Amino acid sequence: MRLPVRWSGLLLAAVLPLGAFAELPEERIEPSIDPELAAHTKVFEQKLYRIAGNVYSAVGWQLGNVAMIEAPEGLIIVDTGESVSESRKIMAEFRKVSDKPVKAVVYTHFHPDHINGVQAFVSREQVERGEVQIYAHESLLQNVVTQGALVGPILGVRSAYSFGSFLPAADQKGMNGGIGPLAKPEPSTFIAPTVTFGERLDTRIAGLDVQLLHAPSEAPDEIVLYLPDNRVLISAEVDQGPTLPNIHTLRGTKFRDPVQWVASLDLLRSLRADHMVPLHGRPVSGRDQVEEVLRMTRDGIAYIHDQTVRWMNKGLTPDELVEKVKLPPHLAGYTPYLREYYGTVKHSVRQIYNGYLGWFQGDPVDLDPTPPKEKAQRLMALMGGRDKVLLEAGNAYLKGDYQWAAELAGYAIRVDREDRLARDIKARSFRRLGYASMNINWRNWYLMSAMELEGNLDGEAIRERSVEMRKVFLSQDMARSFTPRIFLQNWITRIDPDKAGDVELTLGFSFPDVGEEWALEVRKGVAQLHKGIPEGTVLRLSMDKRFMETLLTGENGLLKGALLGDVKVDGNLLEIRRFLACFDFSDEAFGLTLR
């Protein structure tokens, strides 16, 4: 694989006048995988595991497993995968075992790899007729909304980097996703839950006793299933499977509280299950083995948390903490459950600090820092100018000091994003770091960022792929579960104060098919949502909820709907247009590395 970066001439740079090199002879960097990470791929070979007679786990088809419980009166599907096409293959495997009807689906939490493939197992019509119930925690739908509607655009881009969505086949050959095979994201086929609960639900599903327990951990709405008849625990991602758990995810999420996570693992230990079925990786059988895996996972998370807090209380900052907090050998070597294939100690430590104390580390110099571009210009001047900085960066690269080479080149890129030599040095450094990384998230970010620096990931390509990725978090099927309130709440964070700074208008929204009325008030750069339409509101729009769903997914627009009769308009059309112009719903094309 030939890349556009030039290198061996750097050896001559020391005897050339500064500035005499802008391009350097080609260097070939072959794609490779850390040997331990490559061996980890075998853990996810496709297999349908049978556990305790009536529980089956489909491992290796998708990033997340799908479990099936054969109950006396029908099937219970636990989680549904991220890809409906792959989930259909899993359902075909299940049908080799049983021809009983599906009676229930359980979502263990809101992440796409656990909910998106539901319509491979049941149809929306079956759920609407009451033939199939969908169980979940009471907060799942709100988490789906936040993920898809509120922060969907940035989450789509960041997820593309985390999962290496743009990487060529050569960089993905023989790879895995740390907790499963490489993800195969598709637009969600989500169907909203019909039965929700808070802390615990003891129920009978399809003639089988099932305990559903809330166990906040990798997700705040995480639930597990316990089958008392044969002592089977379906542990969701409380036990994240064959990896050090991702106490923080680089794609971005709210704080995952390690204290809660440890408490949830202790809850699972108290069940003393004979079998455990994680929803990533292989099942575990034998009461002693289940206890060992849960205890060691618990101790790994607890150690990282407790030692981070211990050293925080001695005044250490994140950059110091990551050098201080390291797992002891008996935990770090517990293969595969505490190996850093997916989570890492370093990025977990930083998140724990931030979760307790926030971004401010105590030095007031960080309160109003010099803007990054100006800071880079000043530092490079102190170091002797751009050519000297890049010469040192090139020499660091040749010595194998790739992190320092990337940091130095980054200063030049801050000053001039089009500095080809700086971008080449940083890209090459990232490729070296990526191919050496055992952690799939770090590897993917390094390699995706290298592509961006090399110019192989242009803004339009990012925008197009980001739109595709956003459908993983906000598809038409998902939008059908959203209410008018959710739809209009999405507007509040889209207001553009430059366009709305002098606007004071209220627009009423009627949804006659569901009998709801709401109003959005714009008040000098701030938007507020009101339940009901205030008396005296003269600007109004009326539409069915079904049309509203097409607005959420971007298939339609309000003005188009008004012209075609899908939206009824009351009031001065120019004033309505003025109101609508206050909001910014544009999709930007942006990368994450070039700054």
Side-chain angles (χ1 to χ4, degrees), residues 390-438:
L390 292 187
L391 178 59
E392 184 57 34
N395 286 332
Y397 175 86
L398 291 173
K399 294 174 184 176
D401 193 353
Y402 305 123
Q403 178 65 31
W404 183 232
E407 289 182 23
L408 288 174
Y411 289 126
I413 295 168
R414 283 282 186 185
V415 174
D416 178 10
R417 289 181 53 174
E418 301 307 316
D419 189 321
R420 291 305 314 171
L421 182 58
R423 286 173 60 166
D424 289 349
I425 292 172
K426 193 169 184 178
R428 285 278 164 154
S429 298
F430 279 174
R431 286 201 172 274
R432 294 288 190 182
L433 290 168
Y435 291 140
S437 177
M438 190 176 80

Side-chain angles (χ1 to χ4, degrees), residues 13 29 44 186 233 342 453 481 498 516 520 528:
I29 300 179
F44 309 112
E186 292 180 3
L233 167 66
Y342 199 62
L453 290 159
S481 301
D498 292 334
E516 292 191 32
L520 267 175
Q528 182 178 354

